[in-house]
Amino acid sequence: MLRSAAAISAPLVWPLWERKAGASLTLTRCLHQTLIMAKQLQARRLNGIDHNPWVEFIRLAKEYDVVNLGQGFPDFSPPDFAVQAFQQATSGDFMLNQYTMAFGYPPLTKILASFFGKLLGQELDPLKNVLVTVGAYGALFTAFQALVDEGDEVIIIEPAFDCYEPMTLMAGGRPVFVSLKSSPAAKGQLESSNDWQLDPTELASKFTPRTKALVLNTPNNPLGKVFSKKELELVADLCQQHNVLCISDEVYQWLVYDGHQHVSIASLPGMWERTLTIGSAGKSFSATGWKVGWVMGPDQILKHLRTVHQNSIFHCPTQAQLPQTMKPNRDHMIRSLQSVGLKPLIPQGSYFLIADISDFKSKMPDLPGAEDEPYDRRFAKWMIKNKGLVAIPVSIFFSQPHQKDFDHYIRFCFVKDEATLQAMDERIQKWKKELQP
């Protein structure tokens, strides 16, 4: 009878036990998945650098009917000779569609070595002193990865292009900031980027035994400042005194105005041996999408960049390895911006000018935005939504502690075609009428 009861109850009990076992198995899987998810997914080197302010302003520029004067790209064709050379490369020798030398297409590296060797006063070896990269961005990233180690300090002169800080952090280094100091222009005159100067005492105080490198950007983005030979000599003396490398970002070297002269710091006595000089065909030939850049320097430094390069991208597109005067555009934009109360600073070089918005800050301080959001970011968003003009807030080019001190400037790009400038004028004229009583 017991055997019969067991026979009857077994089919009833088994599904319950199976359900419990299944639940237990599901619970085990969930716990295992939770433990896996509890591990940090991203590498530590990404902590704190995941937010990029450019994303927000690019998104806003697409959402509204605007004239985009914010992003630094020309909206006209490259010079005919550059386009023709690119077309020939894509339709000519079929081998131009295949791998080339890892560190640069030989005809290009030879030209770069010959041309820049004369400018820098050096005999450059195309194989040892030149590395072709995926844009100047690629050159910068490769340099930081190759040279900056855990705990190394990197001096960054601000305002600074916003990739220098995260690239330092990703390499395990510590950014150390020194700000250019501005002096007011004479009454009735526009301020110039030349009015922003290095404080020799403050700069010297930033060098410590842990300083590995200093990042120099001339002509400067976003300011348009071309560093004078005297300022470069100050930087050079300190780098040599403290045995520090110099990473010199010179992508705008051919875009210099009003008789100012660009000087490469590597050409100064004692600096070739410790300097990486970075350039860009994209900026020089108004073809930013081609992403062709280069870095030049002594073999004992460049060999470490080659190691990173060959173990990351290996080499650049073979086909793509191949100033128009912008001063009238610059002056046009300055006059137009002044007409609505913006105060442009006259840049000595680069694609950009910045404008002082202090008067707007005092007249309309309570623009929408988070309480701790710098004023220039709120103003730039207001201008996009209400005036149809895109500019970039200059505070993003400063380190966090200094952003509030420089939240009264916005950056415009004047390397635009005539149609874009006319569209800007139309928006500006409408704005000007709204300001009239």
Side-chain angles (χ1 to χ4, degrees):
M1 191 168 178
L2 288 173
R3 193 175 299 158
S4 300
I8 294 170
S9 63
L12 300 175
V13 172
W14 177 256
L16 295 174
W17 181 87
E18 191 176 44
R19 207 172 299 150
K20 284 186 178 180
S24 177
L25 184 60
T26 302
L27 180 60
T28 302
R29 285 175 178 165
C30 289
L31 288 172
H32 179 67
Q33 190 67 26
T34 302
L35 288 171
I36 291 174
M37 295 303 291
K39 293 180 181 178
Q40 180 170 290
L41 181 62
Q42 78 276 16
R44 282 188 314 236
R45 70 179 67 91
L46 301 185
N47 290 349
I49 64 169
D50 53 336
H51 174 70
N52 189 320
W54 291 91
V55 174
E56 181 178 14
F57 285 94
I58 292 170
R59 177 181 56 78
L60 285 171
K62 292 183 181 299
E63 286 181 6
Y64 291 84
D65 177 22
V66 298
V67 180
N68 191 344
L69 306 172
Q71 291 173 267
F73 62 86
D75 58 0
F76 48 82
S77 296
D80 289 343
F81 73 86
V83 174
Q84 289 167 6
F86 192 86
Q87 289 172 341
Q88 184 177 354
T90 57
S91 60
D93 184 355
F94 73 92
M95 283 305 295
L96 291 176
N97 295 298
Q98 309 307 325
Y99 289 129
T100 184
M101 294 282 288
F103 307 126
Y105 183 50
L108 175 60
T109 56
K110 287 178 183 177
I111 290 171
L112 292 173
S114 173
F115 182 78
F116 283 100
K118 295 181 178 69
L119 294 180
L120 299 175
Q122 299 290 329
E123 189 74 32
L124 301 189
D125 185 325
L127 298 177
K128 294 182 178 180
N129 302 127
V130 181
L131 172 63
V132 177
T133 58
V134 180
Y137 227 83
L140 287 163
F141 183 79
T142 303
F144 283 105
Q145 287 295 311
L147 303 173
V148 178
D149 215 342
E150 291 287 338
D152 285 344
E153 294 178 356
V154 177
I155 296 174
I156 299 173
I157 300 170
E158 52 182 6
F161 188 46
D162 64 309
C163 76
Y164 302 152
E165 180 180 5
M167 286 186 182
T168 299
L169 293 169
M170 286 181 72
R174 188 174 80 85
V176 176
F177 298 95
V178 57
S179 297
L180 294 166
K181 299 292 189 294
S182 63
S183 54
K187 190 173 181 179
Q189 292 187 355
L190 289 177
E191 193 176 341
S192 164
S193 58
N194 192 45
D195 296 326
W196 293 53
Q197 299 282 326
L198 279 169
D199 181 326
T201 303
E202 183 182 7
L203 178 61
S205 72
K206 302 298 181 180
F207 286 80
T208 75
R210 298 197 69 89
T211 305
K212 183 66 171 290
L214 176 144
V215 184
L216 175 71
N217 178 208
T218 180
N220 172 272
N221 174 14
L223 193 57
K225 173 184 172 62
V226 177
F227 282 77
S228 67
K229 188 175 181 181
K230 183 178 179 181
E231 289 174 301
L232 296 178
E233 288 171 342
L234 167 65
V235 172
D237 288 345
L238 288 167
C239 286
Q240 292 177 62
Q241 180 183 334
H242 295 275
N243 192 26
V244 166
L245 301 170
C246 180
I247 300 172
S248 189
D249 181 351
E250 303 181 17
V251 297
Y252 297 108
Q253 73 175 103
W254 307 113
L255 294 157
V256 178
Y257 316 111
D258 302 327
H260 290 282
Q261 183 181 7
H262 170 80
V263 177
S264 291
I265 195 168
S267 68
L268 300 184
M271 285 305 290
W272 166 254
E273 296 81 3
R274 63 179 66 253
T275 301
L276 293 174
T277 304
I278 293 172
S280 166
K283 295 295 192 297
S284 300
F285 299 116
S286 304
T288 56
W290 290 2
K291 295 298 288 181
V292 178
W294 52 77
V295 54
M296 288 166 288
D299 184 50
Q300 71 266 21
I301 301 178
L302 214 58
K303 65 182 181 181
H304 302 300
L305 275 71
R306 291 196 293 268
T307 300
V308 173
H309 184 85
Q310 71 189 16
N311 288 291
S312 53
I313 63 161
F314 184 65
H315 81 78
C316 304
T318 308
Q319 298 163 335
Q321 298 185 47
L322 306 172
Q324 178 177 343
T325 301
M326 285 294 115
K327 185 176 181 295
N329 289 28
R330 181 200 69 172
D331 296 343
H332 179 146
M333 183 174 284
I334 286 172
R335 290 191 298 270
S336 194
L337 296 178
Q338 280 184 283
S339 70
V340 289
L342 293 164
K343 296 178 180 177
L345 278 68
I346 302 174
Q348 301 164 304
S350 82
Y351 279 5
F352 310 105
L353 63 82
I354 69 173
D356 191 328
I357 56 172
S358 297
D359 288 351
F360 290 90
K361 188 177 180 181
S362 60
K363 291 175 184 174
M364 38 191 247
D366 300 320
L367 291 177
E371 187 177 344
D372 60 345
E373 187 176 23
Y375 182 79
D376 59 343
R377 300 190 195 191
R378 289 184 280 140
F379 183 87
K381 293 175 191 176
W382 171 84
M383 194 169 68
I384 289 171
K385 297 173 183 178
N386 295 277
K387 305 303 175 187
L389 294 169
V390 180
I392 299 297
V394 170
S395 64
I396 72 171
F397 298 97
F398 284 87
S399 55
Q400 191 69 36
H402 296 154
Q403 288 181 358
K404 281 289 187 181
D405 299 326
F406 296 92
D407 71 345
H408 53 287
Y409 296 100
I410 54 176
R411 190 198 76 171
F412 293 90
C413 176
F414 54 82
V415 184
K416 302 295 180 182
D417 71 6
E418 187 63 30
T420 303
L421 294 178
Q422 287 177 1
M424 172 194 72
D425 287 340
E426 291 170 5
R427 305 294 172 100
I428 291 283
Q429 287 303 313
K430 183 179 178 182
W431 188 354
K432 187 177 177 180
K433 288 179 182 177
E434 292 169 356
L435 292 173
Q436 293 172 352

